[in-house]
Amino acid sequence: MRGRARPDRPNYIVYASSYDPDGGGSIFLHQLVHALNSLGEEAYLWPWHRPPGRSLDWTSFRHGLRVLRGRTPRAVWEPFAVSTDLNTPLATARDLRSSSIVVYPEVTLGNPLKATNVVRWLLYRPGLRDPYAFTKDEMFFRVGEICDIPEITGGATDLFVWTVNPAYRDEGRSDRAGACYLVRKGANTPRIPETANAVQIDGMSHGEIAEIFNRSTIFYSYDEASFYSQYAALCGCLSVVVPSRYSCREEWVRNHPPGRYGIAYGLDDLTHARATRHLVEGYLRQQEKDGQRTVQRFVDLTQARFQAKTA
């Protein structure tokens, strides 16, 4: 389904990778397009490997030739995946207009679509894992304070579109044993002895991870901003974040509010995790509603700025 044409206002083009049900950044970018279309805006995905001014079919054909000649990684030739549960049409060349509002994640370097109106969405704190390159007069939004760099953004506005995955629920099993852990964005965090013989869940499907959470006693996350910490708590697993950037729980929660319930920040915080685990689901449901409000705020702010700029 294509976005609803709105000739009276700029449309939205979200620059994204293929949909990955296990990749938080990919999910957020695709869900933003869906949310914008649900609000009556005109929004599209733009596949990250596709240059401006080219049709999707022509681009795929060109990349296919490069693969055959050994000049392009085979991953580029793979079909661009979307979720059948989301309204995320792919943009055509004519959808990319001079008035379009183009949304890039922080990991996209520069302005590959040569857009006039650029929004940068900070899904993680730039520079911690990958280089970043912003351009002049960008408008900044962030998933949370933990992702922001105020000295550059001036203090980005919140934008998040969380949806609780139904795979994660407490099965009430009485035979829990052992530990599991996640690395993801915590690759540089020193390992703790407790994960030496634990099951690593990186790269597994949601169904596989939910089953492991339900059979495990405790979950450790080296990634301080992963939604899997909340998912572990939903499954009745004791959830622990291995501290890295922050000196204490209070500082971490100020920068990452979703961690306030059901999660221990370090091994000396287990009592808090146990005592507040029952509050996690209600908090996440409220966050779903709050996320919709941040999308509406995003629309109001971007339309006000870029319509005025175009005029």
Side-chain angles (χ1 to χ4, degrees):
M1 182 186 300
R2 289 178 56 79
R4 181 187 304 175
R6 298 290 300 269
D8 58 319
R9 55 205 281 126
N11 65 358
Y12 292 91
I13 305 291
V14 178
Y15 194 83
S17 59
S18 280
Y19 185 78
D20 178 359
D22 303 314
S26 161
I27 293 172
F28 265 38
L29 291 163
H30 285 241
Q31 284 185 337
L32 177 59
V33 172
H34 176 82
L36 289 169
N37 283 321
S38 298
L39 289 174
E41 299 299 322
E42 181 185 0
Y44 306 96
L45 289 170
W46 190 284
W48 65 270
H49 62 261
R50 176 182 160 202
R54 301 294 187 185
S55 71
L56 185 61
D57 290 342
W58 192 95
T59 300
S60 298
F61 176 74
R62 185 189 67 173
H63 280 290
L65 289 179
R66 288 186 174 183
V67 168
L68 291 175
R69 294 169 183 165
R71 293 167 54 196
T72 297
R74 185 163 298 276
V76 173
W77 176 234
E78 294 176 355
F80 187 82
V82 296
S83 170
T84 57
D85 297 325
L86 301 176
N87 179 13
T88 51
L90 300 186
T92 64
R94 69 176 179 272
D95 295 319
L96 180 59
R97 309 160 193 154
S98 60
S99 62
S100 294
I101 299 169
V102 173
V103 181
Y104 295 118
E106 84 288 346
V107 294
T108 297
L109 301 181
N111 181 9
L113 296 185
K114 312 297 185 205
T116 302
N117 304 323
V118 173
V119 168
R120 189 73 57 172
W121 194 11
L122 308 180
L123 303 176
Y124 192 59
R125 184 175 172 88
L128 285 185
R129 294 181 302 160
D130 305 296
Y132 64 91
F134 302 152
T135 54
K136 186 179 179 182
D137 296 329
E138 294 189 2
M139 195 172 186
F140 292 95
F141 290 82
R142 69 189 189 191
V143 167
E145 190 170 350
I146 197 172
C147 305
D148 203 0
I149 39 175
E151 61 272 21
I152 293 178
T153 68
T157 302
D158 286 341
L159 173 63
F160 55 89
V161 280
W162 288 332
T163 301
V164 178
N165 191 306
Y168 298 99
R169 61 189 185 282
D170 189 350
E171 298 174 356
R173 292 173 57 166
S174 59
D175 59 343
R176 290 181 182 272
C180 54
Y181 74 101
L182 177 78
V183 175
R184 289 177 79 91
K185 298 186 290 293
N188 295 325
T189 301
R191 299 296 181 263
I192 60 174
E194 286 79 2
T195 62
N197 297 311
V199 176
Q200 185 173 0
I201 65 170
D202 290 74
M204 294 184 179
S205 69
H206 285 297
E208 291 170 326
I209 294 172
E211 195 278 329
I212 291 172
F213 282 164
N214 271 282
R215 73 170 191 242
S216 300
T217 301
I218 191 166
F219 165 67
Y220 301 97
S221 177
Y222 288 101
D223 186 338
E224 292 180 296
S226 172
F227 217 53
Y228 285 106
S229 293
Q230 282 81 13
Y231 283 156
L234 285 179
C235 292
C237 186
L238 186 57
S239 185
V240 180
V241 165
V242 179
S244 175
R245 291 178 57 196
Y246 303 104
S247 60
C248 62
R249 168 178 189 78
E250 290 71 22
E251 184 183 5
W252 174 62
V253 170
R254 280 198 304 272
N255 287 276
H256 186 60
R260 68 183 63 200
Y261 300 128
I263 301 170
Y265 191 68
L267 293 171
D268 58 352
D269 196 31
L270 299 179
T271 299
H272 171 84
R274 293 189 178 100
T276 60
R277 188 163 55 199
H278 67 287
L279 300 174
V280 172
E281 183 172 4
Y283 176 79
L284 293 182
R285 296 301 179 189
Q286 184 59 50
Q287 286 295 97
E288 287 183 326
K289 297 177 183 178
D290 291 346
Q292 291 303 309
R293 285 191 280 271
T294 70
V295 177
Q296 184 61 65
R297 177 67 170 159
F298 167 82
V299 170
D300 294 341
L301 292 174
T302 53
Q303 290 295 328
R305 172 167 171 174
F306 294 123
Q307 279 198 55
K309 179 180 176 181
T310 301

